[in-house]
Amino acid sequence: MGLNFSLLIVAALILAVFLGVEALGLSFLFGVIIPYLALATFIIGFILKVVKWAKAPVPFRITTTSGQQKSLPWIKDNKIDNPATTSWTMVRMALEVLFFRSLFKNTKAEMVDGKKLTYQWEKWLWLAGLVFHWSFLIVVVRHLRLFLEPVPAFVTLIGKVDGFFMVDLQNFYITGVLLLAAVTFLFIRRVLIPQVRYISLAADYFPLFVLMGIATTGILMKYFYRVDVVSIKELTVGLFSFNPVIPEGVSVLFYIHLFLVCTLISYLPFSKLMHMGGIFLSPTRNMPNNSRAERHINPWNYPVKVHTYAEYEDEFRDKMRAAGLPLDRDGAEDEAAATKE
Ligand code: HEM
């Protein structure tokens, strides 16, 4: 259901641009108005979400730990898996964000012969996730050549390294194809593994289809139906300098590519893709675990009227003694002191 629904929506979006640009000539809508609206939604939505999360109180120290905590000097602590200082927390966070370290530890649980639970090596999700995210980043950085004039040296350099292989006398960008391959793998995995398929919703399929659409139209533009990159650059530079223009001869394939990018970024703040910002605000990840060294008091604590055991015993001592119950304090001294007075 979620799969078909998402596929249908993405197909409808593509058809809408095709008809809008080809039949109705709405290039200004798809080339200028929608990109501005999408960018505004992305920026405002992202900020609002981060501010909302940042304002949420975190009364408890709930660091996720998976190693020995720092305690006595002769017990070796695990600084990365149980960080006790802010700097080690930052190391752990960096390893998580850059290399998905916790996903690397992922294992697959399976019943063997219907009675023995086994845990098996499982690195494919980690690998595909890593390839996808890094390729995405590199593709986006390479795209800066379409937005900036002059093109920064690092963008040209990344393009040269990534496009090291030549196919038909033109650069073949490895990351563009890896991006599509990784997203396709993530989709197939979701569909083929029954347990993963069972928990998959439209919110999981939709971003995958949008990403597949973006990468496919990009690859089509670059290698199969060459587009006029000079006109496209005129359009993008116009957008960023707030002097929007719609040059002649921009292919509809580009408008589809751009519209899917707009869909992705405007949807991002309201979707699971916000993990991009959320990881840094996650209390289980951004707090050092120093609970043994420091006493953390819940700021929400208010004075509570308690009835201690000692008070309870004072209150019921006679009855407890009569029933033969053990007493912490016999109370005889108090009675003796009271009679002396
Ligand atoms: C989420 C952001 C985006 C992704 C993931 C993406 C992805 C891709 C991919 C994979 C390609 C194939 C060639 C390559 O590997 O670079 C491509 C090409 C292209 N993209 Fe994007 N794109 C994005 C955003 C944009 C935006 C915002 C624009 C313009 C406003 C754009 C314009 C183009 C153009 C013109 C090409 C063809 C380049 C050429 O022929 O040299 N893309 N894109």
Side-chain angles (χ1 to χ4, degrees):
M1 164 67 194
L3 191 157
N4 295 338
F5 177 71
S6 307
L7 195 59
L8 209 71
I9 297 274
V10 175
L13 292 176
I14 294 174
L15 193 69
V17 193
F18 189 80
L19 294 178
V21 173
E22 291 287 273
L24 304 173
L26 298 174
S27 7
F28 195 76
L29 175 70
F30 287 103
V32 177
I33 299 177
I34 291 179
Y36 276 144
L37 287 178
L39 202 61
T41 312
F42 172 68
I43 296 173
I44 298 171
F46 200 100
I47 293 176
L48 289 181
K49 216 17 150 335
V50 167
V51 168
K52 182 179 167 206
W53 285 337
K55 276 165 74 179
V58 183
F60 302 111
R61 194 137 291 239
I62 50 169
T63 323
T64 302
T65 61
S66 54
Q68 176 61 50
Q69 183 175 7
K70 183 173 163 48
S71 57
L72 299 167
W74 42 271
I75 299 177
K76 193 170 179 314
D77 61 321
N78 190 331
K79 294 195 166 36
I80 293 180
D81 284 321
N82 201 332
T85 60
T86 305
S87 27
W88 279 109
T89 309
M90 281 159 75
V91 170
R92 178 165 84 154
M93 181 70 95
L95 290 175
E96 187 64 25
V97 171
L98 300 175
F99 305 112
F100 305 174
R101 188 165 174 272
S102 66
L103 188 56
F104 186 75
K105 297 183 192 173
N106 176 40
T107 49
K108 188 169 72 177
E110 224 172 36
M111 293 297 270
V112 176
D113 300 334
K115 53 180 187 292
K116 208 164 119 196
L117 182 65
T118 59
Y119 292 92
Q120 296 162 25
W121 190 93
E122 214 296 79
K123 298 282 175 265
W124 298 115
L125 177 62
W126 168 80
L127 190 66
L130 204 66
V131 168
F132 161 65
H133 284 83
W134 275 104
S135 301
F136 189 98
L137 178 67
I138 296 170
V139 167
V140 169
V141 171
R142 271 201 290 98
H143 270 64
L144 291 179
R145 81 183 205 291
L146 298 169
F147 304 106
L148 305 173
E149 195 56 56
V151 179
F154 79 95
V155 175
T156 315
L157 181 71
I158 292 178
K160 276 198 181 134
V161 176
D162 193 0
F164 176 77
F165 293 108
M166 305 286 273
V167 174
D168 274 351
L169 290 181
Q170 64 161 325
N171 291 341
F172 172 76
Y173 292 127
I174 298 168
T175 49
V177 176
L178 281 180
L179 171 69
L180 182 58
V183 171
T184 310
F185 174 88
L186 294 172
F187 166 67
I188 292 175
R189 175 186 170 277
R190 207 170 260 291
V191 178
L192 285 191
I193 302 177
Q195 293 92 331
V196 184
R197 190 184 174 129
Y198 183 72
I199 57 164
S200 295
L201 304 169
D204 301 300
Y205 293 117
F206 181 68
L208 287 175
F209 287 141
V210 173
L211 284 161
M212 277 185 205
I214 294 173
T216 308
T217 46
I219 287 170
L220 286 176
M221 275 194 286
K222 170 106 181 100
Y223 307 107
F224 298 96
Y225 303 95
R226 293 288 309 158
V227 287
D228 183 354
V229 177
V230 177
S231 312
I232 291 175
K233 183 147 184 174
E234 221 179 297
L235 188 151
T236 51
V237 171
L239 280 179
F240 278 90
S241 55
F242 293 104
N243 279 319
V245 275
I246 294 290
E248 284 295 304
V250 176
S251 141
V252 68
L253 208 50
F254 168 75
Y255 287 108
I256 297 177
H257 188 67
L258 183 61
F259 186 63
L260 290 177
V261 172
C262 291
T263 307
L264 184 77
I265 63 169
S266 49
Y267 168 71
L268 196 142
F270 314 101
S271 72
K272 68 173 196 176
L273 306 178
M274 259 317 278
H275 67 267
M276 170 184 174
I279 175 85
F280 299 102
L281 290 145
S282 171
T284 56
R285 296 268 154 200
N286 67 13
M287 297 179 128
N289 177 26
N290 54 3
S291 315
R292 282 199 179 158
E294 264 177 49
R295 176 147 193 250
H296 301 287
I297 295 174
N298 178 356
W300 288 343
N301 278 356
Y302 49 89
V304 177
K305 171 107 186 68
V306 291
H307 192 54
T308 63
Y309 177 72
E311 287 165 351
Y312 170 88
E313 206 182 85
D314 284 345
E315 197 176 333
F316 296 107
R317 183 165 293 106
D318 296 343
K319 295 187 177 61
M320 289 172 77
R321 195 185 291 129
L325 292 175
L327 292 168
D328 269 5
R329 262 177 4 99
D330 171 74
E333 323 82 57
D334 299 350
E335 277 158 30
T339 36
K340 227 186 224 174
E341 274 167 22

